[in-house]
PDB file of all heavy atoms in Angstrom:
ATOM      1  N   MET A 318      40.072  -9.964 106.173  1.00 98.00           N
ATOM      2  CA  MET A 318      40.985 -10.629 105.248  1.00 98.00           C
ATOM      3  C   MET A 318      42.374 -10.781 105.865  1.00 98.00           C
ATOM      4  O   MET A 318      42.847  -9.901 106.574  1.00 98.00           O
ATOM      5  CB  MET A 318      41.078  -9.812 103.957  1.00 98.00           C
ATOM      6  CG  MET A 318      41.887 -10.489 102.890  1.00 98.00           C
ATOM      7  SD  MET A 318      41.342  -9.983 101.269  1.00 98.00           S
ATOM      8  CE  MET A 318      42.722 -10.584 100.305  1.00 98.00           C
ATOM      9  N   GLU A 319      42.963 -11.891 105.616  1.00 97.00           N
ATOM     10  CA  GLU A 319      44.322 -12.143 106.095  1.00 97.00           C
ATOM     11  C   GLU A 319      44.958 -13.203 105.199  1.00 97.00           C
ATOM     12  O   GLU A 319      44.294 -13.764 104.319  1.00 97.00           O
ATOM     13  CB  GLU A 319      44.315 -12.612 107.554  1.00 97.00           C
ATOM     14  CG  GLU A 319      43.513 -13.886 107.772  1.00 97.00           C
ATOM     15  CD  GLU A 319      43.272 -14.166 109.246  1.00 97.00           C
ATOM     16  OE1 GLU A 319      44.239 -14.105 110.011  1.00 97.00           O
ATOM     17  OE2 GLU A 319      42.117 -14.462 109.615  1.00 97.00           O
ATOM     18  N   SER A 320      46.235 -13.444 105.422  1.00 97.00           N
ATOM     19  CA  SER A 320      46.877 -14.495 104.628  1.00 97.00           C
ATOM     20  C   SER A 320      47.718 -15.363 105.553  1.00 97.00           C
ATOM     21  O   SER A 320      48.050 -14.972 106.671  1.00 97.00           O
ATOM     22  CB  SER A 320      47.754 -13.878 103.539  1.00 97.00           C
ATOM     23  OG  SER A 320      48.766 -13.101 104.126  1.00 97.00           O
ATOM     24  N   PHE A 321      48.004 -16.556 105.095  1.00 97.00           N
ATOM     25  CA  PHE A 321      48.923 -17.405 105.848  1.00 97.00           C
ATOM     26  C   PHE A 321      49.806 -18.149 104.853  1.00 97.00           C
ATOM     27  O   PHE A 321      49.492 -18.237 103.667  1.00 97.00           O
ATOM     28  CB  PHE A 321      48.182 -18.378 106.785  1.00 97.00           C
ATOM     29  CG  PHE A 321      47.323 -19.405 106.105  1.00 97.00           C
ATOM     30  CD1 PHE A 321      47.844 -20.625 105.701  1.00 97.00           C
ATOM     31  CD2 PHE A 321      45.964 -19.164 105.877  1.00 97.00           C
ATOM     32  CE1 PHE A 321      47.049 -21.586 105.092  1.00 97.00           C
ATOM     33  CE2 PHE A 321      45.155 -20.115 105.264  1.00 97.00           C
ATOM     34  CZ  PHE A 321      45.698 -21.329 104.868  1.00 97.00           C
ATOM     35  N   MET A 322      50.904 -18.625 105.357  1.00 97.00           N
ATOM     36  CA  MET A 322      51.856 -19.320 104.494  1.00 97.00           C
ATOM     37  C   MET A 322      52.014 -20.760 104.980  1.00 97.00           C
ATOM     38  O   MET A 322      52.440 -20.986 106.112  1.00 97.00           O
ATOM     39  CB  MET A 322      53.213 -18.587 104.557  1.00 97.00           C
ATOM     40  CG  MET A 322      54.284 -19.191 103.687  1.00 97.00           C
ATOM     41  SD  MET A 322      54.318 -18.472 102.030  1.00 97.00           S
ATOM     42  CE  MET A 322      55.224 -16.961 102.321  1.00 97.00           C
ATOM     43  N   VAL A 323      51.615 -21.690 104.127  1.00 96.00           N
ATOM     44  CA  VAL A 323      51.926 -23.094 104.412  1.00 96.00           C
ATOM     45  C   VAL A 323      53.408 -23.260 104.105  1.00 96.00           C
ATOM     46  O   VAL A 323      53.865 -22.871 103.021  1.00 96.00           O
ATOM     47  CB  VAL A 323      51.089 -24.041 103.533  1.00 96.00           C
ATOM     48  CG1 VAL A 323      51.559 -25.485 103.712  1.00 96.00           C
ATOM     49  CG2 VAL A 323      49.606 -23.918 103.861  1.00 96.00           C
ATOM     50  N   THR A 324      54.169 -23.825 105.030  1.00 97.00           N
ATOM     51  CA  THR A 324      55.609 -23.968 104.796  1.00 97.00           C
ATOM     52  C   THR A 324      56.091 -25.381 105.109  1.00 97.00           C
ATOM     53  O   THR A 324      55.363 -26.192 105.686  1.00 97.00           O
ATOM     54  CB  THR A 324      56.444 -22.989 105.656  1.00 97.00           C
ATOM     55  OG1 THR A 324      56.500 -23.504 106.994  1.00 97.00           O
ATOM     56  CG2 THR A 324      55.868 -21.595 105.651  1.00 97.00           C
ATOM     57  N   ASN A 325      57.317 -25.584 104.722  1.00 96.00           N
ATOM     58  CA  ASN A 325      57.952 -26.879 105.001  1.00 96.00           C
ATOM     59  C   ASN A 325      58.172 -27.089 106.495  1.00 96.00           C
ATOM     60  O   ASN A 325      58.485 -28.190 106.924  1.00 96.00           O
ATOM     61  CB  ASN A 325      59.298 -26.992 104.257  1.00 96.00           C
ATOM     62  CG  ASN A 325      60.265 -25.886 104.641  1.00 96.00           C
ATOM     63  OD1 ASN A 325      59.837 -24.770 104.976  1.00 96.00           O
ATOM     64  ND2 ASN A 325      61.561 -26.177 104.601  1.00 96.00           N
ATOM     65  N   LEU A 326      57.985 -26.035 107.300  1.00 95.00           N
ATOM     66  CA  LEU A 326      58.192 -26.155 108.745  1.00 95.00           C
ATOM     67  C   LEU A 326      56.897 -26.478 109.491  1.00 95.00           C
ATOM     68  O   LEU A 326      56.893 -26.601 110.721  1.00 95.00           O
ATOM     69  CB  LEU A 326      58.792 -24.846 109.298  1.00 95.00           C
ATOM     70  CG  LEU A 326      60.061 -24.361 108.585  1.00 95.00           C
ATOM     71  CD1 LEU A 326      60.581 -23.087 109.247  1.00 95.00           C
ATOM     72  CD2 LEU A 326      61.151 -25.439 108.608  1.00 95.00           C
TER      73      LEU A 326
END
Side-chain angles (χ1 to χ4, degrees):
Chain A
M318 186 152 166
E319 59 192 312
S320 61
F321 65 88
M322 181 91 81
V323 173
T324 77
N325 59 330
L326 307 182

